[in-house]
Amino acid sequence: KQWYQRRVREDKNYQLDDTSLPENVRITARNVINFQSAGAQEQSAQWDGEERKVSRFAENLQQLDNGVKVPPGPWVCSMCDLRDNLWMNLTCGTILCGRRYFDGTGGNNHAVDYYETTKYPLAVKLGTITPQGADVYSYGEDDMVIDPHLAKHLEHFGINMMHCQQTEKTMTELEIDANMNLKFEYDSILESGVALKPVYGPGYLGLINMGNTCYMNSVLQVLLNCVPGLATKYLAYNNTPTYEVPTSFAFQLKTLAHYMQTPGDYSKADAIPGVGNGVKPALLKTIIGKGHSEFSSSRQQDAHEYFLHIIDLLEKKKKYSALIPL
């Protein structure tokens, strides 16, 4: 008890890279910090990211006989003082920091710059090496890859992957974290959990999801409610021959603009549940998607690609008829 009390009185905080701490203590602390719970491990296993392919450089990778042996850690970038997000080049064993992210965090781009100078293509992320594998990046292919000879390539620099433990988050884990943070931001924007008061009338008409059409509804709402003057121009458009009404892009967009600006029974507080409050732009979807293998289907699509498709469609229609507003 006396020993415990004395240790508590002398308790203080240490940085993980503090060399006054024994090396095994630093490694253990990193393992505890980066430990994945069972739930996190399952989430990583189920993560539907891009499938990694075997690098074309792995089979005949050049490895220099320069005598370099890499210790089990801690490591530091050979060009700066960064101690995390470090990548070891599998050709020469040089340890360098990773890319700088858009928000200024991450590394100092030294691994990328080194590749531009040497053209040594493969690097492994230190701290992600386990008996099951590691994160390997191919600068020559600009993608995360699989190195089927990783154990041999690591052994060249004195690293036995069978004795390695994970001390850094993998790229998959970082990707999951980023998506979770994005979800929290979306929840904040959408005010999740907050009792929202419904609004009705011009400019507040909802578009009903017809099964994976949320991307289309979002784009149409932006076009007709946020692009200055577009809805007004289409409301004033009266140049569609009667026989073209069912297939006319301009007329169907005019019709939707009319509903949005003067929704009538389609956007009111006392509408019958399941009957009022919203319209289904089914005919407009058919017209916009005509001749397009993806947008004519009932599958989910990318909203940005759909937006560009509509803009392209508007420009083409304008080219053939000066009467169509744009």
Side-chain angles (χ1 to χ4, degrees), residues 5-133:
Q5 290 175 337
R6 178 169 62 83
R7 297 304 300 167
V8 169
R9 285 197 297 269
E10 295 176 1
D11 187 33
K12 58 184 276 189
N13 294 324
Y14 292 89
Q15 295 295 322
L16 281 178
D17 55 359
D18 191 328
T19 54
S20 67
L21 288 172
E23 181 179 324
N24 62 332
V25 173
R26 282 177 280 163
I27 293 175
T28 300
R30 282 189 180 274
N31 287 340
V32 171
I33 291 171
N34 291 293
F35 176 75
Q36 272 195 309
S37 67
Q41 291 179 28
E42 182 179 1
Q43 192 175 35
S44 294
Q46 295 176 348
W47 177 244
D48 187 21
E50 292 187 8
E51 182 180 356
R52 297 181 186 180
K53 299 179 180 179
V54 174
S55 172
R56 69 173 187 267
F57 300 106
E59 186 67 30
N60 299 303
L61 182 70
Q62 178 190 13
Q63 291 196 286
L64 304 182
D65 291 324
N66 53 11
V68 171
K69 299 299 177 184
V70 177
W75 309 282
V76 63
C77 175
S78 62
M79 294 186 181
C80 66
D81 58 355
L82 289 184
R83 296 176 178 273
D84 52 18
N85 190 22
L86 299 177
W87 297 75
M88 185 191 79
N89 191 283
L90 288 172
T91 293
C92 61
T94 304
I95 297 173
L96 300 147
C97 60
R99 299 176 188 268
R100 182 182 294 110
Y101 303 137
F102 69 93
D103 60 355
T105 61
N108 291 320
N109 286 333
H110 286 146
V112 182
D113 296 341
Y114 190 72
Y115 166 74
E116 294 299 330
T117 302
T118 65
K119 298 303 178 182
Y120 297 157
L122 299 185
V124 61
K125 186 177 183 183
L126 295 175
T128 68
I129 303 170
T130 69
Q132 288 73 44

Side-chain angles (χ1 to χ4, degrees), residues 296-313:
S296 61
S297 72
S298 59
R299 294 186 292 270
Q300 180 61 274
Q301 305 295 338
D302 181 81
H304 180 247
E305 291 180 4
Y306 193 71
F307 174 79
L308 295 177
H309 175 68
I310 290 182
I311 295 300
D312 184 55
L313 192 61

Side-chain angles (χ1 to χ4, degrees), residues 2-260:
Q2 290 178 349
W3 177 86
Y4 172 76
Q5 290 175 337
R6 178 169 62 83
R7 297 304 300 167
V8 169
R9 285 197 297 269
E10 295 176 1
D11 187 33
K12 58 184 276 189
N13 294 324
Y14 292 89
Q15 295 295 322
L16 281 178
D17 55 359
D18 191 328
T19 54
S20 67
L21 288 172
E23 181 179 324
N24 62 332
V25 173
R26 282 177 280 163
I27 293 175
T28 300
R30 282 189 180 274
N31 287 340
V32 171
I33 291 171
N34 291 293
F35 176 75
Q36 272 195 309
S37 67
Q41 291 179 28
E42 182 179 1
Q43 192 175 35
S44 294
Q46 295 176 348
W47 177 244
D48 187 21
E50 292 187 8
E51 182 180 356
R52 297 181 186 180
K53 299 179 180 179
V54 174
S55 172
R56 69 173 187 267
F57 300 106
E59 186 67 30
N60 299 303
L61 182 70
Q62 178 190 13
Q63 291 196 286
L64 304 182
D65 291 324
N66 53 11
V68 171
K69 299 299 177 184
V70 177
W75 309 282
V76 63
C77 175
S78 62
M79 294 186 181
C80 66
D81 58 355
L82 289 184
R83 296 176 178 273
D84 52 18
N85 190 22
L86 299 177
W87 297 75
M88 185 191 79
N89 191 283
L90 288 172
T91 293
C92 61
T94 304
I95 297 173
L96 300 147
C97 60
R99 299 176 188 268
R100 182 182 294 110
Y101 303 137
F102 69 93
D103 60 355
T105 61
N108 291 320
N109 286 333
H110 286 146
V112 182
D113 296 341
Y114 190 72
Y115 166 74
E116 294 299 330
T117 302
T118 65
K119 298 303 178 182
Y120 297 157
L122 299 185
V124 61
K125 186 177 183 183
L126 295 175
T128 68
I129 303 170
T130 69
Q132 288 73 44
D135 278 348
V136 178
Y137 191 84
S138 173
Y139 292 100
E141 296 158 287
D142 194 22
D143 205 355
M144 298 296 298
V145 296
I146 297 172
D147 178 3
H149 308 295
L150 182 60
K152 181 183 74 173
H153 292 155
L154 291 173
E155 187 178 359
H156 182 84
F157 299 107
I159 299 175
N160 185 341
M161 65 185 296
M162 300 307 295
H163 297 163
C164 292
Q165 291 182 321
Q166 182 180 340
T167 58
E168 289 261 349
K169 288 190 175 183
T170 65
M171 299 306 292
T172 297
E173 292 163 10
L174 291 172
E175 208 173 328
I176 292 172
D177 287 348
N179 276 272
M180 292 300 294
N181 291 336
L182 187 61
K183 177 184 181 301
F184 295 144
E185 291 178 11
Y186 276 135
D187 286 347
S188 176
I189 294 171
L190 299 175
E191 300 177 286
S192 295
V194 178
L196 302 178
K197 181 181 179 181
V199 291
Y200 308 94
Y204 298 118
L205 176 70
L207 301 181
I208 299 172
N209 193 326
M210 297 174 287
N212 290 332
T213 60
C214 53
Y215 69 93
M216 179 189 76
N217 294 349
S218 300
V219 171
L220 292 176
Q221 290 282 10
V222 168
L223 283 173
L224 295 176
N225 286 315
C226 301
V227 178
L230 185 65
T232 303
K233 287 183 179 180
Y234 272 90
L235 283 171
Y237 177 70
N238 293 300
N239 294 287
T240 301
T242 303
Y243 64 88
E244 289 185 2
V245 166
T247 59
S248 170
F249 170 74
F251 185 84
Q252 294 303 325
L253 198 60
K254 166 191 171 74
T255 301
L256 184 59
H258 170 74
Y259 279 129
M260 286 186 167

